């Protein structure tokens, strides 16, 4: 148990340096509880969400000491809606990492720092489950929302990138430069798939029909 939530936004209320925070059931973590990652060694903070569960968080994940990153494990969904300032990499090893721009405290652009390098995949879903790692972005009604990454790397198995715009809005997702391990694949679901507005883009060239070569 975390005890009583702070009455105002409090940086480093929770520090994840060595070890992980696990969500075994669905819940919303109070936005006033700032999360610090990095510690003295520059480790990534690990958030694990069990299959079929959703951890929602509208606060801020920031560096604590050395620059830190974020690793999302588990076949569940981690939904982020605050403006995070950590300066390290972002990894969604399995399941869904959702960027929710629809909340009242959501930024217009970049829930995750645009300087962050994104990795999708790297963990097994478990027996009897289809393995995938998904990044999803949902825009707000009437707003022009955008999210950029410095680069995106795909590990083994299938990855999915999905962007949806709110009604009357636009959602633009830039993945930066693309790279992949052998066997890594990526399915794009752009806003127009659901009759929305916006684009999913990358800075990588098309090499013989393969983005990023």
């Amino acid at each position: 148990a975390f005890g009583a939530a702070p009455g105002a936004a409090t940086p480093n209320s929770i520090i994840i340096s060595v070890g992980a925070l696990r969500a075994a059931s669905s819940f919303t973590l109070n936005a006033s509880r700032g999360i610090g990652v990095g510690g003295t060694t520059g480790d990534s903070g690990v958030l694990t969400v069990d299959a079929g569960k959703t951890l929602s968080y509208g606060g801020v994940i920031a560096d604590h000491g050395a620059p830190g990153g974020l690793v999302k494990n588990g076949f569940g969904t981690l939904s982020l809606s605050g403006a995070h300032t950590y300066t390290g990499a972002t990894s969604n090893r399995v399941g869904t990492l959702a960027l929710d721009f629809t909340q009242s405290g959501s930024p217009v652009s970049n829930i995750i720092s645009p300087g962050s390098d994104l990795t999708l995949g790297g963990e097994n879903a478990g027996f009897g489950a289809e393995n995938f790692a998904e990044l999803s972005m949902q825009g707000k009604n009437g707003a022009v929302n955008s999210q950029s990454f410095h680069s995106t790397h795909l590990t083994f198995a299938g990855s999915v990138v999905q962007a949806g715009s709110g009604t009357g809005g636009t959602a633009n997702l830039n993945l930066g430069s693309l790279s992949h391990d052998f066997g890594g694949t990526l399915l794009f679901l752009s806003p127009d798939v659901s009759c929305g507005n916006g684009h999913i883009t990358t800075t990588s060239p098309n090499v013989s029909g393969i983005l990023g070569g």
Side-chain angles (χ1 to χ4, degrees), residues 46-126:
V46 179
L47 295 174
T48 299
V49 187
D50 287 359
K53 310 304 179 183
T54 298
L55 171 58
S56 301
Y57 180 58
V60 176
I61 303 174
D63 291 340
H64 172 67
L70 173 66
V71 174
K72 184 266 174 188
N73 284 338
F75 205 42
T77 297
L78 173 62
S79 179
L80 302 177
S81 57
H84 302 289
T85 62
Y86 66 89
T87 56
T90 302
S91 175
N92 178 29
R93 296 177 60 83
V94 71
T96 301
L97 174 61
L99 307 181
D100 181 6
F101 287 87
T102 69
Q103 302 302 310
S104 59
S106 300
V108 174
S109 301
N110 295 316
I111 285 176
I112 294 174
S113 168
S116 187
D117 295 302
L118 173 68
T119 297
L120 295 174
E123 182 182 326
N124 288 314

Side-chain angles (χ1 to χ4, degrees), residues 11-18 34-43 45 61-69 85-88:
N12 301 319
S13 176
I14 299 172
I15 298 172
I16 309 174
S17 179
V18 178
I35 297 176
V37 295
T40 59
T41 59
D43 293 330
I61 303 174
D63 291 340
H64 172 67
T85 62
Y86 66 89
T87 56

Side-chain angles (χ1 to χ4, degrees), residues 146-169:
S146 63
Q147 173 65 55
S148 295
F149 291 94
H150 180 256
S151 68
T152 298
H153 179 73
L154 314 173
T155 64
F156 64 84
S159 298
V160 179
V161 170
Q162 177 174 261
S165 61
T167 301

Side-chain angles (χ1 to χ4, degrees), residues 126-177:
F127 180 76
E130 181 181 355
N131 196 71
F132 72 90
E134 177 178 346
L135 173 74
S136 70
M137 170 189 176
Q138 180 57 54
K140 192 173 188 176
N141 291 347
V144 178
N145 299 122
S146 63
Q147 173 65 55
S148 295
F149 291 94
H150 180 256
S151 68
T152 298
H153 179 73
L154 314 173
T155 64
F156 64 84
S159 298
V160 179
V161 170
Q162 177 174 261
S165 61
T167 301
T170 301
N172 293 316
L173 175 59
N174 188 328
L175 299 175
S177 60

